[in-house]
């Protein structure tokens, strides 16, 4: 099932960012600089969409967007408008990341052709659409999140079930975000940063 696959990829993506964050924290601590954690297990510990994006997922980028987009927009417009502008800015920022990350190097081209997965040209626009989808989810939370049924679920369902339900709200459009990472060799290259258990021929 594609939704289960996307959920598994989301967990893997969280693992990548968490590991990267711990690596940066370790290096900076050696120089006496304390850094906030990058991730706080959002997929399995979030209580709401705003908790997922605002307090758990990629706190480094969240801090940049909050100071650079949300707060300036919020001084003139509503909370919902500021939130939507922040998600759109996040989408554009991730488009830039894709452009840098997948910019083909000369030795990856076969003539003028870019052959996946070692050479990959991302399809721009999907990441921004994914973040717009999540902006809509946050807007819905603002509008109806206080309804009795949602409060009842938060009080009586196991917290991990609530977190998985929250994370699943992004799955219908998750392929917009994950597509470029899956079709390229991003995860294949990323595994080099993790310990691997392999069978040694006898």
């Amino acid at each position: 099932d594609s939704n289960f696959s996307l959920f598994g990829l989301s967990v893997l993506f969280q693992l990548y960012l968490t590991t990267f964050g711990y690596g940066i924290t370790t290096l900076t601590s050696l120089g006496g600089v304390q850094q906030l954690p990058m991730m706080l297990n959002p997929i399995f510990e979030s209580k709401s969409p705003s908790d997922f994006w605002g307090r758990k997922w990629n706190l480094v980028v969240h801090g940049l967007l909050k100071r650079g987009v949300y707060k300036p927009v919020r001084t003139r417009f509503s909370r919902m408008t500021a939130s939507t502008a922040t998600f759109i800015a996040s989408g554009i920022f991730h488009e830039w990341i894709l452009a840098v990350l997948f910019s083909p190097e000369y030795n990856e081209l076969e003539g003028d052709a870019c052959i996946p997965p070692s050479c990959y040209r991302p399809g721009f626009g999907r990441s921004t659409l994914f973040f717009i989808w999540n902006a809509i989810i946050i807007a819905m939370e603002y509008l109806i999140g206080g309804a009795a049924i949602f409060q009842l679920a938060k009080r009586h369902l196991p917290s991990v079930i609530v977190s998985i339900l929250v994370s699943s709200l992004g799955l219908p459009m998750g392929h917009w975000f994950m597509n470029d990472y899956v079709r390229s060799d991003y995860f294949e290259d990323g595994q080099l940063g993790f310990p691997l258990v392999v069978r040694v021929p006898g």
Side-chain angles (χ1 to χ4, degrees):
D1 185 88
S2 59
N3 280 337
F4 282 112
S5 299
L6 280 170
F7 186 80
L9 287 169
S10 300
V11 174
L12 181 61
F13 208 76
Q14 173 177 308
L15 175 62
Y16 271 48
L17 289 179
T18 302
T19 305
F20 176 75
Y22 278 128
I24 295 296
T25 301
T26 301
L27 289 174
T28 55
S29 64
L30 294 176
V33 178
Q34 294 297 317
Q35 180 176 308
L36 292 173
M38 179 175 284
M39 306 282 278
L40 292 176
N41 197 16
I43 291 178
F44 297 106
E45 293 187 9
S46 296
K47 298 179 178 63
S48 66
S50 58
D51 186 46
F52 181 99
W53 290 110
R55 303 180 189 93
K56 299 285 196 301
W57 183 272
N58 201 341
L59 299 181
V60 175
V61 173
H62 166 75
L64 292 172
L65 290 169
K66 185 174 183 177
R67 293 188 298 272
V69 181
Y70 182 86
K71 286 186 174 180
V73 175
R74 186 68 180 93
T75 59
R76 293 177 174 269
F77 300 98
S78 68
R79 179 177 65 162
M80 193 177 298
T81 300
S83 174
T84 301
T86 304
F87 273 100
I88 292 172
S90 180
I92 294 170
F93 174 66
H94 282 81
E95 304 284 0
W96 174 79
I97 290 176
L98 289 175
V100 172
L101 191 63
F102 296 122
S103 178
E105 298 179 8
Y106 179 76
N107 61 352
E108 294 177 329
L109 296 172
E110 296 184 16
D112 292 328
C114 181
I115 309 298
S118 60
C119 179
Y120 181 75
R121 298 187 192 277
F124 295 107
R126 288 190 289 255
S127 286
T128 302
L129 289 173
F130 170 75
F131 282 100
I132 290 174
W133 167 258
N134 283 282
I136 294 170
I137 290 173
I138 295 293
M140 295 300 293
E141 181 188 348
Y142 288 163
L143 294 172
I144 63 172
I149 186 172
F150 298 116
Q151 299 306 311
L152 192 67
K154 287 173 69 173
R155 285 197 300 268
H156 295 285
L157 289 177
S159 58
V160 68
I161 299 299
V162 171
S163 299
I164 290 174
L165 289 173
V166 167
S167 302
S168 298
L169 292 173
L171 292 181
M173 307 306 172
H175 59 284
W176 286 344
F177 182 80
M178 297 301 301
N179 181 73
D180 293 305
Y181 297 97
V182 172
R183 294 184 61 192
S184 68
D185 54 4
Y186 174 82
F187 289 109
E188 182 179 345
D189 290 345
Q191 73 181 1
L192 299 177
F194 294 88
L196 295 177
V197 178
V198 296
R199 182 178 181 181
V200 178

